Amino acid sequence: MGGARIKAVIYARYSSHNQREESIEGQLRECYDFAAKNDFSVVHEYIDRAISGKTDNRPSFQQLIKDSERGHFDAVIMYTLDRFARNRYDSAIYKARLKRNGVKIYYAKQPMPDTPEGIILESVLEGYAEYYSENLARNIRRGLKENAMHGLVVGGMSLGYRVNEQKRYEIDPVGAKAVRAIFTMYAEGKTKAEIVRWLNDKGFKTVRGSEFNKNSLPRILRNEKYIGVYRVDDVVLTDVIPPIIDKDLFDKVQAQIKHTFVSRGKSKATEDYLLTTKVFCGHCGEPLIGESGRSKTGAIHHYYKCAGRKRKKNCNKKTERKEWLEQTVVRFTVQHVLTDENIDLISTRAMALIEKELLDTSLLTGLRERLKDVNKRLNNLIGAIEQGIITPTTKERLEALEAERRDLEGQIGQEEMKKPFLTKERIQYWLESFRKGDIKNVEYQRRIIDTLVNSVYVYDNSPDGTKIVITFNLSGANTITLKSSDIEHLTPSPKRVHIYAGNGADVRFLFALC
């Protein structure tokens, strides 16, 4: 009785077809019964509602897989095999990941023998589950297409229509009036805000009976049903839905939507200045602001300019070419900061901080001490029973201690799952990944700058050229001079650059990124 129990989590799921919320309660009940019979300690529940097992894009399922890497539970309990997946490929991939993480799968209503025969049986059941799912989906699609071909209503309703006794679309006069107003006002150049305000002032409601907002309009404005086009999968019919507006008005609105989308895309195509909020003028301390300008040839150039100079302060700091400055900072960081020695130092200090935080967790420490005390009392009671010392309250006391132990183990398991499961090797691997990348790739530059660079100070008029002082999000300092030959590929006119790497924040940034 004093031995460690298997820590388990429960995964439950129901799809949207022919199942409901109550099925989750049944699955959980069976899984908890299985855990009790096998002396498992359940520390967490993962539940996906109204999501098919054909996809692995299930939030709780993905969280379960992710949490399994932290080593805080040893088993997953499910109602039956098909709760895990209805796709053999996904099933094989994720079971392999769980196995690699030391986690075993149990099925409450489908016990699988841990033998070669059990493996074969599990494969057969997985194949059947996939067949059932595919066959069901095929039958549903066939039924929907058949209904569509006969002009029957399929799917959700659209504003302006209702379903008649023959289960066909017919026009709803009030909703149709709102639809005509939306298309007419949009074609006249009214904004979405103006259209929404008019609809709500007039008392119109959406198809769900709520007030309109700007997100209510896009789907309406693109809906082909309003010109009598009924489209379901590859079935397209033009004579089963009564149109609400004419095709000319619909086409005009589509052209305006396309024009607005293209114009908005162009207006948003602004340059991304990666060092914004991190780069400063070395002379006056003001931030360097990203700007652009057009040359006589029409070419656009991007650069950083001192905010003090922009506001006519007494600062004559020269502008710095955006591409040159960003790539210089990134190249220096990769080549001279992410050395084997620094990576080892950072990972060692990070682990020391992690272990310290774990030790400082008073709640977890208190729970462990209480569990230790309960186990000690259990062992003493069992020893007394073995010696024949039994009283009328012995059984009651034994059951109470067992219940307290189960409760404490569950609380400890939940607290442990809140802690990051990191090792020095994982941190080293993560840091080493920063070495691999194209120095001219914007996303790679962003990753280096956002994570490792704390601040950058740029000076003019150094005896040997521009001077750059960089402070990094790690401990340790060094001074390195980069010659023109080191950076000549970064700019058409190479500069001589001195870079001082100062120490900034500690390695706590790893907690948010590992």
Side-chain angles (χ1 to χ4, degrees):
M1 286 188 179
R5 304 169 69 203
I6 294 177
K7 295 178 184 177
V9 296
I10 294 174
Y11 177 70
R13 174 188 66 80
Y14 77 89
S15 61
S16 56
H17 175 72
N18 200 30
Q19 289 179 307
R20 58 192 189 280
E21 183 70 23
E22 286 79 0
S23 71
I24 291 292
E25 297 176 6
Q27 292 178 48
L28 292 176
R29 184 171 56 253
E30 295 289 346
C31 290
Y32 272 108
D33 287 346
F34 178 87
K37 291 175 183 177
N38 292 275
D39 202 31
F40 288 3
S41 174
V42 177
V43 298
H44 197 61
E45 298 172 359
Y46 297 88
I47 300 172
D48 282 313
R49 295 175 169 84
I51 302 178
S52 170
K54 290 179 62 178
T55 175
D56 64 344
N57 188 21
R58 291 170 266 154
S60 290
F61 178 77
Q62 289 296 336
Q63 189 62 49
L64 183 152
I65 299 298
K66 184 178 180 181
D67 289 346
S68 73
E69 299 176 357
R70 300 178 177 178
H72 297 313
F73 56 86
D74 311 300
V76 178
I77 306 172
M78 282 171 284
Y79 180 66
T80 55
L81 179 144
D82 62 357
R83 297 302 89 194
F84 189 77
R86 287 188 183 273
N87 177 302
R88 281 177 293 176
Y89 176 78
D90 286 345
S91 181
I93 293 296
Y94 289 108
K95 283 181 180 178
R97 287 182 61 178
L98 289 175
K99 184 177 181 181
R100 186 170 65 247
N101 296 332
V103 177
K104 191 171 181 179
I105 300 175
Y106 295 89
Y107 309 109
K109 302 302 288 184
Q110 279 181 319
M112 294 288 170
D114 192 13
T115 64
E117 292 79 7
I119 296 173
I120 295 174
L121 174 61
E122 190 167 354
S123 299
V124 170
L125 291 173
E126 285 175 353
Y128 176 77
E130 183 175 16
Y131 164 77
Y132 172 82
S133 181
E134 289 292 337
N135 191 52
L136 179 63
R138 183 169 60 246
N139 291 339
I140 292 173
R141 286 196 301 269
R142 184 168 62 243
L144 293 176
K145 289 177 65 174
E146 190 68 23
N147 286 344
M149 291 179 69
H150 289 84
L152 302 180
V153 173
V154 173
M157 290 302 297
S158 300
L159 181 68
Y161 292 105
R162 61 191 178 195
V163 184
N164 61 21
E165 293 179 356
Q166 290 76 38
K167 297 190 181 299
R168 296 176 181 273
Y169 288 99
E170 68 177 23
I171 291 179
D172 168 39
V174 176
K177 185 176 180 180
V179 170
R180 294 188 190 101
I182 290 170
F183 275 86
T184 301
M185 293 174 72
Y186 192 87
E188 293 173 349
K190 296 287 194 299
T191 65
K192 290 180 181 178
E194 290 174 326
I195 298 172
V196 166
R197 192 180 307 113
W198 184 88
L199 290 167
N200 290 331
D201 288 344
K202 295 296 182 181
F204 289 108
K205 300 295 182 182
T206 67
V207 70
R208 295 184 177 181
S210 58
E211 288 195 339
F212 285 86
N213 58 60
K214 64 179 181 180
N215 296 322
S216 308
L217 302 186
R219 183 174 295 181
I220 294 173
L221 292 169
R222 290 187 172 91
N223 194 340
E224 291 180 304
K225 286 190 178 77
Y226 297 129
I227 55 173
V229 176
Y230 190 24
R231 190 186 301 272
V232 177
D233 203 2
D234 57 350
V235 175
V236 181
L237 302 175
T238 58
D239 57 354
V240 298
I241 299 182
I244 293 178
I245 62 173
D246 62 66
K247 191 172 185 303
D248 289 341
L249 178 58
F250 185 83
D251 290 343
K252 182 179 180 180
V253 167
Q254 303 316 302
Q256 285 187 222
I257 291 173
K258 183 177 180 181
H259 175 74
T260 302
F261 177 79
V262 172
S263 301
R264 185 180 298 147
K266 288 181 179 178
S267 66
K268 288 186 177 180
T270 56
E271 190 69 16
D272 196 355
Y273 293 85
L274 304 179
L275 288 169
T276 299
T277 73
K278 294 192 175 190
V279 63
F280 302 90
C281 173
H283 304 286
C284 69
E286 292 281 346
L288 298 189
I289 307 299
E291 283 198 351
S292 63
R294 192 179 297 272
S295 66
K296 294 180 180 179
T297 63
I300 298 177
H301 299 283
H302 303 281
Y303 51 88
Y304 287 96
K305 185 175 183 178
C306 174
R309 180 179 173 182
K310 281 171 63 69
R311 291 197 291 267
K312 309 298 184 183
K313 286 189 175 182
N314 188 24
C315 183
N316 296 316
K317 171 76 183 75
K318 297 177 182 177
T319 60
E320 298 292 346
R321 289 277 300 275
K322 171 187 179 297
E323 182 184 55
W324 175 84
L325 183 59
E326 290 173 354
Q327 291 188 15
T328 298
V329 170
V330 171
R331 178 170 291 280
F332 174 82
T333 304
V334 173
Q335 293 183 349
H336 300 284
V337 176
L338 291 175
T339 62
D340 290 341
E341 181 181 359
N342 281 342
I343 287 176
D344 182 72
L345 179 65
I346 294 169
S347 56
T348 299
R349 291 180 177 177
M351 280 309 302
L353 285 172
I354 292 170
E355 291 167 359
K356 182 177 183 297
E357 290 205 0
L358 287 174
L359 289 174
D360 288 345
T361 306
S362 56
L363 175 59
L364 190 57
T365 302
L367 289 171
R368 286 173 176 161
E369 288 298 321
R370 286 174 58 191
L371 179 60
K372 183 178 178 181
D373 179 63
V374 168
N375 282 330
K376 181 179 179 180
R377 283 184 283 161
L378 267 171
N379 289 331
N380 291 339
L381 185 57
I382 293 168
I385 293 172
E386 290 174 345
Q387 295 176 21
I389 304 173
I390 301 176
T391 68
T393 61
T394 298
K395 182 181 179 182
E396 181 181 341
R397 181 58 178 156
L398 185 63
E399 290 175 347
L401 287 172
E402 284 285 359
E404 186 178 357
R405 183 174 71 171
R406 284 194 297 271
D407 181 60
L408 287 170
E409 287 175 340
Q411 291 184 58
I412 290 171
Q414 290 180 13
E415 286 299 314
E416 287 178 340
M417 289 180 68
K418 297 177 183 178
K419 298 299 175 184
F421 183 67
L422 291 174
T423 63
K424 180 179 177 180
E425 290 71 24
R426 289 190 180 191
I427 297 172
Q428 286 177 321
Y429 178 82
W430 177 75
L431 287 169
E432 287 168 358
S433 69
F434 281 80
R435 294 171 170 175
K436 305 167 186 176
D438 181 1
I439 201 72
K440 296 184 178 181
N441 180 275
V442 174
E443 289 307 314
Y444 178 66
Q445 293 175 21
R446 188 195 314 280
R447 187 182 176 205
I448 296 293
I449 291 171
D450 288 353
T451 307
L452 297 175
V453 177
N454 184 281
S455 61
V456 179
Y457 286 83
V458 187
Y459 297 80
D460 286 341
N461 306 320
S462 173
D464 298 311
T466 300
K467 176 184 175 184
I468 302 176
V469 177
I470 309 176
T471 305
F472 294 97
N473 290 325
L474 51 91
S475 300
N478 54 70
T479 304
I480 297 178
T481 300
L482 297 185
K483 299 179 180 178
S484 298
S485 58
D486 294 325
I487 58 169
E488 60 185 4
H489 64 287
L490 299 177
T491 175
S493 54
K495 300 182 179 181
R496 182 173 178 81
V497 179
H498 287 263
I499 298 182
Y500 171 78
N503 61 321
D506 62 25
V507 292
R508 289 180 182 272
F509 70 94
L510 286 165
F511 288 121
L513 294 160
C514 286

